[in-house]
Amino acid sequence: MAQDYIANPEKLENIWVYDDEFAKGMLHIEGEEVIELYVDSFFQNRGIGAKLIEFGIQTFHVLKLFVLKKYQCNQILTASWVFADT
């Protein structure tokens, strides 16, 4: 994956990283859609995902969020928050 980003640095233009000393999560936005949201398992349940989603909404007016739920993708249309049962 790192080699791919080195060879194609334009792919990083739509990826935002949450870090405060350590990279703890990332958000991949295309247009008005969150394509990927990842928070390292060690840092989960600390509000990092919520902060990344809020960043996407406030900065890029994200309207479409995809939630991975039990290996199944469900499209959620929203303008603020996404809640998903696990």
Side-chain angles (χ1 to χ4, degrees):
M1 182 186 295
Q3 292 290 344
D4 185 40
Y5 287 134
I6 291 168
N8 303 292
E10 68 279 357
K11 289 184 176 183
L12 294 172
E13 292 175 8
N14 299 317
I15 295 177
W16 302 90
V17 176
Y18 180 98
D19 76 87
D20 58 0
E21 285 188 60
F22 302 101
K24 297 180 178 181
M26 64 81 86
L27 180 70
H28 177 185
I29 296 174
E30 294 285 338
E32 294 180 342
E33 295 183 37
V34 171
I35 304 300
E36 296 174 275
L37 173 65
Y38 171 78
V39 177
D40 186 282
S41 59
F42 185 77
F43 301 108
Q44 289 179 358
N45 298 313
R46 298 183 187 189
I48 294 169
K51 289 178 185 178
L52 285 166
I53 290 171
E54 185 64 28
F55 170 78
I57 292 167
Q58 296 297 320
T59 307
F60 298 100
H61 309 288
V62 168
L63 297 175
K64 296 179 183 177
L65 307 174
F66 292 85
V67 177
L68 183 63
K69 180 180 173 184
K70 296 183 181 177
Y71 307 103
Q72 183 179 40
C73 284
N74 299 319
Q75 183 175 5
I76 309 294
L77 301 176
T78 184
S80 57
W81 295 99
V82 172
F83 295 97
D85 295 331
T86 55

